């Protein structure tokens, strides 16, 4: 009995195994143009989220330094806590992170105004990031319902793990 090469459709020209099974075709529930718009939007939201997160980090660092400087200049923990919305324990921890500050001799009112403004900027940046995350979640749901992308493609486009995609979309009905 002659040896076969293991191919499903006969021997290959090289005599080695050749994988010939086709990947199951994705149902054409969404047009190519719509799919490309969806993938482009997901990639754009990933970038927007990166920018928003970076802005939050920068604002947080600036606010934290202002908190420490205000405490160094004599503002009380309770006042700083009331102005920034952070609890007293967090304010104390932030202030202890900066140990090489010198008194700036700014009036207390200037510290309060600056802290209030920076805290509002930080809250606005966090709201903006939350909006981007909500929009991204809606795009993920749309992509799964229309079968434009599978879990692995979505993970790649969003920067999330496939497991996170599955957990966050667990109750969503997917097209069969």
């Amino acid at each position: 009995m002659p040896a076969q090469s293991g191919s499903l459709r006969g021997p290959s020209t090289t005599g080695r195994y050749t994988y010939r099974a086709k990947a199951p075709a994705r149902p054409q529930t969404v047009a190519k143009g719509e799919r490309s718009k969806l993938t482009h939007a997901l990639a754009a939201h990933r970038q927007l989220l990166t920018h928003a997160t970076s802005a939050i980090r920068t604002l947080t660092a600036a606010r934290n330094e202002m908190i420490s400087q205000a405490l160094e200049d004599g503002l009380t923990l309770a006042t700083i806590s009331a102005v920034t919305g952070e609890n007293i324990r967090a304010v104390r921890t932030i202030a202890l992170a900066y140990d090489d500050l010198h008194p700036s001799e700014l009036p207390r009112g200037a510290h309060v105004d600056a802290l209030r403004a920076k805290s509002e900027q930080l809250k606005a940046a966090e709201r903006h990031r939350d909006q981007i995350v909500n929009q991204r979640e809606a795009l993920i749901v749309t992509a799964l319902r229309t079968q434009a992308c599978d879990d692995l493609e979505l993970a790649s486009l969003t920067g999330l793990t496939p497991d996170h995609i599955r957990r966050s979309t667990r109750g969503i009905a997917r097209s069969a």
Side-chain angles (χ1 to χ4, degrees):
M1 180 170 182
Q4 287 188 337
S5 65
S7 172
L8 295 175
R9 295 188 180 170
S12 68
T13 56
T14 60
R16 295 185 178 149
Y17 174 80
T18 305
Y19 181 75
R20 300 211 187 261
K22 292 185 178 179
R26 178 178 291 143
Q28 295 297 325
T29 58
V30 68
K32 284 186 181 184
E34 291 178 30
R35 182 181 188 283
S36 96
K37 285 180 185 177
L38 194 59
T39 58
H40 179 71
L42 284 166
H45 276 76
R46 181 178 182 179
Q47 182 134 14
L48 286 171
L49 192 57
T50 301
H51 288 300
T53 303
S54 176
I56 289 171
R57 251 191 320 273
T58 303
L59 288 168
T60 301
R63 191 215 46 193
N64 288 353
E65 189 171 348
M66 293 170 83
I67 287 172
S68 185
Q69 187 65 54
L71 197 60
E72 182 69 30
D73 287 346
L75 235 60
T76 64
L77 288 171
T79 303
I80 295 171
S81 175
V83 169
T84 61
E86 294 287 337
N87 63 35
I88 291 177
R89 178 182 235 165
V91 171
R92 184 181 300 122
T93 302
I94 290 167
L96 290 174
Y98 297 88
D99 58 353
D100 58 344
L101 295 175
H102 302 288
S104 68
E105 299 181 14
L106 285 174
R108 291 178 182 220
H111 282 297
V112 169
D113 292 340
L115 279 170
R116 184 172 286 124
K118 193 60 73 174
S119 293
E120 287 302 318
Q121 288 175 349
L122 182 59
K123 288 175 187 171
E126 289 172 343
R127 284 191 301 269
H128 178 66
R129 182 198 56 201
D130 292 343
Q131 287 174 345
I132 294 169
V133 168
N134 290 337
Q135 290 169 353
R136 180 186 66 185
E137 294 300 319
L139 287 170
I140 290 171
V141 168
T142 301
L144 287 173
R145 282 192 176 150
T146 61
Q147 293 182 340
C149 301
D150 62 3
D151 294 347
L152 296 175
E153 284 177 298
L154 285 172
S156 174
L157 289 168
T158 60
L160 301 171
T161 62
D163 190 44
H164 178 84
I165 299 284
R166 284 185 213 103
R167 276 193 320 249
S168 65
T169 60
R170 186 167 285 147
I172 296 169
R174 299 179 188 204
S175 299

